[in-house]
Amino acid sequence: LVVAGFRNQAKAAAEGQKIQEAVKALQATPLGRARLALAAAFEQLPLWADGDEPPAAGDDVAQAAQFATGFAAGHPAVVRFNIEQTVGGVFSWNTGVDYAELLSRSSLRVLVKALYEKAGISVDADLQTLARAPRISAVPTAVAMAEKTMSYSGKIRGPVMVVDNIGDPFDVEAFDSAYAQTVAGAGNAALMRMSWVRSSRHSTQSALERIAGFTVLVERLDSGRWPDTSATAMTARAAKIRAVTALDLGPARFIPSQPPDILRSEEHTSELQSRQYL
């Protein structure tokens, strides 16, 4: 599979199809499911990505099946090709990455090891294969252009209220965590609040949940102070909104959540920090 440096859009589309086929094939065997979970572990993908209820705790096979939901769509080769064309080359890299070290910090490490044990193979063998695999190097000018035009700096000038769902396979919780760290690193943590919704799939917040978040932002703008944005307070706010309208705005499913950190190598983190990107 080619995952970067596509020659043209047709080639990128073909590689995207190969990724979909590879994910389907991985689901068919115990070892394949273990390897899919290993890939998910590096990205901190959610254990719940589809369906009205999450898989049962301890059902590692059902949990692993969640990773296949949207995996290929969450890594669209054609989108990456367009970005590469815009910034002038490969803009991300895995040189210097120690995958064994990343797995040791992943929230999915226990699940990964359990699935490898079921497959009868040690995860260490695959980690060693990854350690020996060719690496992808970025084009420095492309990285600079991507940082200038597409990367978040955290230098927000006004309040930002985020309402996100915990089971989004595309915009995973770790991405939100990384954004919050970027904002904090820029000295703007006081301008941002986050609230979480118990839901899977991409961007499935109800109208009521979105409106509740919007009224928080309005109150912050009007008063200059953030109101309580805990799950309990957001649920109470949603109840008040529901009480004054006959419209069906959907459920209020606010829950407390502590998103995992996005995984970065020490070398990558140091380089980003030197540029004031966290």
Side-chain angles (χ1 to χ4, degrees), residues 135-238:
R135 300 306 172 103
I136 296 172
S137 298
V139 177
T141 54
V143 174
M145 181 59 71
E147 288 181 341
K148 180 180 179 180
T149 60
M150 301 180 186
S151 294
Y152 293 112
S153 67
K155 297 176 182 178
I156 55 178
R157 298 181 181 180
V160 173
M161 178 65 188
V162 177
V163 178
D164 207 352
N165 55 305
I166 62 171
D168 192 325
F170 304 152
D171 180 20
V172 302
E173 284 184 289
F175 295 170
D176 291 307
S177 177
Y179 178 58
Q181 291 174 23
T182 299
V183 171
N188 292 319
L191 286 175
M192 182 177 173
R193 292 292 185 273
M194 303 187 77
S195 185
W196 298 98
V197 170
R198 186 182 183 276
S199 177
S200 67
R201 308 183 185 95
H202 179 55
S203 192
T204 53
Q205 303 92 324
S206 70
L208 180 57
E209 291 157 349
R210 294 170 190 262
I211 293 170
F214 179 72
T215 62
V216 166
L217 186 60
V218 171
E219 186 172 336
R220 168 62 177 80
L221 290 168
D222 287 345
S223 69
R225 298 184 302 274
W226 284 107
D228 187 353
T229 56
S230 67
T232 299
M234 293 298 291
T235 300
R237 179 179 291 267

Side-chain angles (χ1 to χ4, degrees), residues 3-203:
V3 296
F6 303 108
R7 293 195 303 271
N8 52 56
Q9 193 166 39
K11 178 64 174 176
E15 292 299 325
Q17 182 61 39
K18 288 181 182 179
I19 292 174
Q20 292 185 38
E21 293 169 356
V23 170
K24 184 177 181 179
L26 287 170
Q27 294 181 78
T29 67
L31 179 56
R33 290 190 290 271
R35 286 175 169 165
L36 184 57
L38 179 62
F42 298 135
E43 199 168 354
Q44 301 279 51
L45 294 185
L47 287 172
W48 181 29
D50 194 20
D52 295 331
E53 289 295 327
D59 189 345
D60 46 31
V61 173
Q63 289 174 336
Q66 294 286 309
F67 300 138
T69 300
F71 191 95
H75 303 78
V78 290
V79 173
R80 183 181 179 92
F81 168 76
N82 290 332
I83 296 174
E84 288 180 357
Q85 291 295 297
T86 300
V87 302
V90 177
F91 56 91
S92 61
W93 63 96
N94 67 345
T95 52
V97 173
D98 183 341
Y99 286 101
E101 192 275 332
L102 291 188
L103 181 61
S104 72
R105 292 190 283 116
S106 175
S107 61
L108 298 174
R109 61 188 179 278
V110 174
L111 174 61
V112 169
K113 291 182 179 179
L115 287 168
Y116 269 89
E117 287 177 2
K118 281 193 172 183
I121 295 178
S122 170
V123 67
D124 294 336
D126 275 352
L127 290 172
Q128 290 170 11
T129 298
L130 284 173
R132 295 189 299 266
R135 300 306 172 103
I136 296 172
S137 298
V139 177
T141 54
V143 174
M145 181 59 71
E147 288 181 341
K148 180 180 179 180
T149 60
M150 301 180 186
S151 294
Y152 293 112
S153 67
K155 297 176 182 178
I156 55 178
R157 298 181 181 180
V160 173
M161 178 65 188
V162 177
V163 178
D164 207 352
N165 55 305
I166 62 171
D168 192 325
F170 304 152
D171 180 20
V172 302
E173 284 184 289
F175 295 170
D176 291 307
S177 177
Y179 178 58
Q181 291 174 23
T182 299
V183 171
N188 292 319
L191 286 175
M192 182 177 173
R193 292 292 185 273
M194 303 187 77
S195 185
W196 298 98
V197 170
R198 186 182 183 276
S199 177
S200 67
R201 308 183 185 95
H202 179 55
S203 192

